[in-house]
DNA sequence: CTGTTAGCGCTTTCAG
DNA sequence: CTGAAAGCGCTAACAG
């Protein structure tokens, strides 16, 4: 594979000059430029990012470590981050943490070893004891995504409390009095906040908080199915369910179908997180939609700005999420 | 950030030795090993993949260039490839071609510039005139995924003809006589093959082939919605529809809903490609499911084997796809 | 069992 | 407007 030296030789100039025409980093006469371009063409030269990174001390790449790459929420996030990154001339390296602290540490380490210039991380519940301490020793710009765990770092995510409360408000308005909540992993800040929103909604609706109506679904599909079965198996089962995130929503529906309960005829269901296809399948889910595009864009901007100026004060940003009214709540009003 | 020299200095050995203990690439006394490990700990040393790649002439990474990262079919593929790659100690660099020849060339070039050791590519329709010729000049091991375009390269994908014919067979068995087909981009091999399967099924069912019943949906959701409207608008509209891939299936349903046609009551629908959640939403889609996991695994093995031995003859592999009977076909039989 | 040394392919002073 | 030369941090002969 042709190197810069090959190009220089063919063009009859120094590698310095080749480098400068490639990077437009100092004026080069038109004649020389042409010769170099011709030589590049002729040799089929292709830049070597590795060597360049080595010489410059930065890779012009960003790392993105999240869980469940296939999760539609994260897919949209990836697309947005990728776009923002490449607009700023950065490549994106993506890794899946599997939401497991050990694995997370491993992939974060891999990203560091690849010398990404900055890192976007959706921290797992165990991050504060593994990945984050590791990162603290690496002097690498980091922004935390989705979940809030360390205010000494830049963090960005959605509003959780009020939107979840809005879900409850709506169900209450629909006449429900027993509302079950399929919650995520208890260690995640999002879970805690959505639970707080659930309680807030209950309170606003003048309803008693009943611990038995909360079932932990572990943020994953299987756990949510399990949790749903527990809720439905209650002596006084809920007449409406709230699912804490999109992966769990699939699990809830799976369980409901297994139990022969139809949505919304037999039971109402609303959820946190939207699906791209939610309008075209039934039950048509009433949900809270996160502003994933903006989340990805702003997160990347946050990171890039810190690369620019590492002395910036840590920032925490909350973006609003919106209520999308469809039919799984079983009401006809547009509350 | 600590370098190997720092570690060597602290441990009181040469960098050579540090390198060798890190890579287990030649015996080192236990005592020395311990000193080195301690020094690594103490300095917080983290390997530098960039420098290592530079010195070794390979990056221990593979590139994956596909379109529609969010597409569930590709998401599963990514997961499988990633797993196989990391099992073989390779990092995966993922890029989205957007199924656009120009953009594809750009991302393929970016991957080459990052010096991936090998490349997995789901070629766009225009690949033979841009990305492939470029790659031909790069002496980089490549395997083509999903779509077949160049038998001088390794290629792997699913069976398309017979499975699509099976979809038709089933609809015929359900009593349908006018079956519409929402086809993908006309330049893709998958589209051609699925069309061939459609015709084959028609023929086996003793039905006339009617060009008007084929509408090109451009492989994307929007185009498929459009195509569906054309089909439904026919003087003699079809009583059953076949969608050529998962992105288009969403578009078909979108259009059908807009037209107030219910599946399967007003019209039957079957599709190529399965969805993870297809069992829990209605219409419950009857589909052909591709063996995405195996596709990803085998594709990666193909690539790794070629890295091992570049002289191998090019191989073309077809994997079977399976019929999954649910309810959108509107029949109760389990044909 | 360990160290010396010569690069890998590029960027970037410093000098003309 | 152009070049020489010194690295960037690591690996891998080669030598002991």
């Amino acid at each position: 594979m042709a190197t810069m030296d090959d190009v220089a030789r063919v063009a009859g100039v120094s590698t310095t000059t080749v480098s400068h025409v490639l990077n437009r980093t100092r004026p080069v006469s038109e004649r020389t430029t042409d010769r170099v371009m011709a030589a590049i063409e002729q040799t089929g030269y292709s830049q070597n990012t590795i060597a360049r990174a080595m010489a410059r001390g930065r890779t012009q790449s960003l790392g993105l470590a999240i869980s469940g790459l296939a999760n539609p929420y994260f897919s949209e996030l990836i697309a947005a981050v990728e776009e923002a990154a490449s607009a700023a001339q950065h490549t994106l390296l993506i890794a899946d943490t599997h939401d497991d602290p050990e694995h997370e540490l491993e992939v974060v380490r891999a990203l560091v070893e690849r010398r990404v210039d900055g890192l976007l991380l959706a921290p797992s519940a165990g991050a504060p004891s593994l990945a984050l301490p590791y990162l603290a020793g690496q002097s690498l710009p980091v922004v935390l995504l989705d979940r809030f765990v360390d205010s000494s770092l830049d963090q960005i995510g959605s509003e959780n409390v009020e939107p979840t409360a809005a879900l409850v408000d709506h169900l209450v308005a629909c006449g429900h009095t027993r509302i079950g909540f399929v919650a995520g992993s208890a260690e995640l800040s999002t879970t805690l906040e959505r639970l707080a929103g659930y309680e807030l909604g209950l309170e606003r609706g003048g309803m008693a908080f009943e611990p038995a109506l909360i079932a932990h679904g572990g943020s994953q599909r299987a756990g949510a199915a399990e949790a749903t079965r527990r809720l439905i198996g209650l002596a006084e089962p809920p007449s409406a369910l709230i699912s804490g995130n999109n992966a769990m929503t699939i699990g809830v529906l799976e369980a409901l179908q297994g139990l022969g309960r139809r949505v919304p005829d037999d039971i109402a269901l609303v959820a946190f997180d939207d699906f791209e296809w939610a309008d075209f399948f039934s039950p048509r889910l009433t949900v809270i939609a996160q502003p994933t595009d903006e989340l990805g864009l702003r997160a990347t901007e946050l990171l890039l700005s810190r690369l620019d100026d590492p002395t910036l004060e840590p920032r925490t940003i909350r973006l609003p999420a919106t209520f999308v009214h469809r039919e799984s709540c079983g009401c006809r009003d547009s509350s």
Side-chain angles (χ1 to χ4, degrees), chain A:
Chain A
M1 194 161 279
T3 73
M4 227 166 179
D5 283 339
D6 298 328
V7 175
R9 198 170 314 118
V10 170
V13 300
S14 70
T15 61
T16 303
T17 297
V18 176
S19 171
H20 284 304
V21 342
L22 243 24
N23 301 310
R24 318 189 164 297
T25 176
R26 90 177 174 191
V28 177
S29 78
E30 191 172 336
R31 192 161 155 283
T32 308
T33 302
D34 290 348
R35 298 241 305 277
V36 170
M37 294 315 274
I40 287 175
E41 187 72 19
Q42 184 182 330
T43 55
Y45 171 72
S46 145
Q47 300 209 97
N48 186 328
T49 316
I50 302 298
R52 149 190 277 245
M54 176 97 199
R56 301 213 311 180
R58 59 210 160 80
T59 54
Q60 214 74 297
S61 67
L62 302 180
L64 173 60
I66 59 182
S67 69
L69 292 186
N71 182 316
Y73 165 63
F74 282 120
S75 291
E76 285 176 45
L77 206 59
I78 293 176
V81 170
E82 142 78 31
E83 187 177 339
S86 70
Q89 320 277 26
H90 283 259
T91 317
L92 190 63
L93 304 191
I94 305 168
D96 196 331
T97 64
H98 294 12
D99 234 331
D100 170 70
E102 311 273 352
H103 197 84
E104 176 181 43
L105 176 59
E106 212 164 289
V107 303
V108 164
R109 183 174 275 144
L111 255 11
V112 169
E113 289 179 352
R114 292 213 150 250
R115 292 296 187 270
V116 291
D117 296 335
L119 179 64
L120 292 160
L121 169 67
S124 75
S129 53
L130 284 175
L132 261 22
Y134 167 72
L135 282 168
Q138 297 298 138
S139 76
L140 176 71
V142 174
V143 1
L144 265 22
L145 258 177
D146 195 52
R147 299 148 184 183
F148 298 79
V149 303
D150 184 342
S151 58
S152 72
L153 296 174
D154 288 324
Q155 315 187 81
I156 184 167
S158 299
E159 211 78 69
N160 287 302
V161 180
E162 186 51 45
T164 307
L167 247 20
V168 177
D169 291 346
H170 182 68
L171 291 172
V172 168
C174 295
H176 291 281
T177 54
R178 289 186 69 73
I179 300 173
F181 189 77
V182 178
S185 206
E187 300 88 2
L188 296 176
S189 69
T190 43
T191 298
L192 266 26
E193 294 175 3
R194 289 172 198 179
L195 265 171
Y198 169 70
E199 294 188 39
L200 172 61
L202 250 29
E203 190 177 316
R204 281 203 304 229
M207 296 171 49
F209 168 71
E210 194 175 320
L213 288 177
I214 294 177
H216 282 274
S219 296
Q220 304 290 303
R221 169 174 157 181
E226 178 73 22
T228 302
R229 283 182 218 108
R230 282 200 300 277
L231 252 18
I232 300 298
L234 253 30
E236 273 189 276
S239 64
L241 250 30
I242 299 179
S243 163
N245 75 28
N246 56 5
M248 294 198 296
T249 300
I250 303 294
V252 170
L253 282 159
E254 177 183 4
L256 254 20
Q257 178 174 95
L259 295 164
R261 298 291 201 292
R262 305 181 26 162
V263 175
D265 304 341
D266 303 326
I267 186 167
L269 171 66
V270 297
F272 210 99
D273 284 333
D274 199 7
F275 293 94
E276 187 210 4
W277 37 266
D279 275 324
F280 315 121
F281 285 83
S282 125
R284 295 185 61 243
L285 300 168
T286 289
V287 302
I288 291 295
Q290 296 192 57
T292 37
D293 282 5
E294 194 183 350
L295 230 30
L297 173 62
R298 301 278 308 269
T300 310
E301 288 175 350
L302 226 42
L303 184 52
L304 291 170
S305 70
R306 181 162 299 283
L307 292 194
D308 240 42
D309 178 3
T311 70
L312 259 28
E313 283 301 302
R315 295 149 291 178
T316 289
I317 298 181
R318 290 280 183 175
L319 261 26
T322 58
F323 183 83
V324 182
H325 190 228
R326 297 202 188 90
E327 299 161 1
S328 66
C329 46
C331 73
R332 296 267 137 225
D333 310 358
S334 66
S335 162

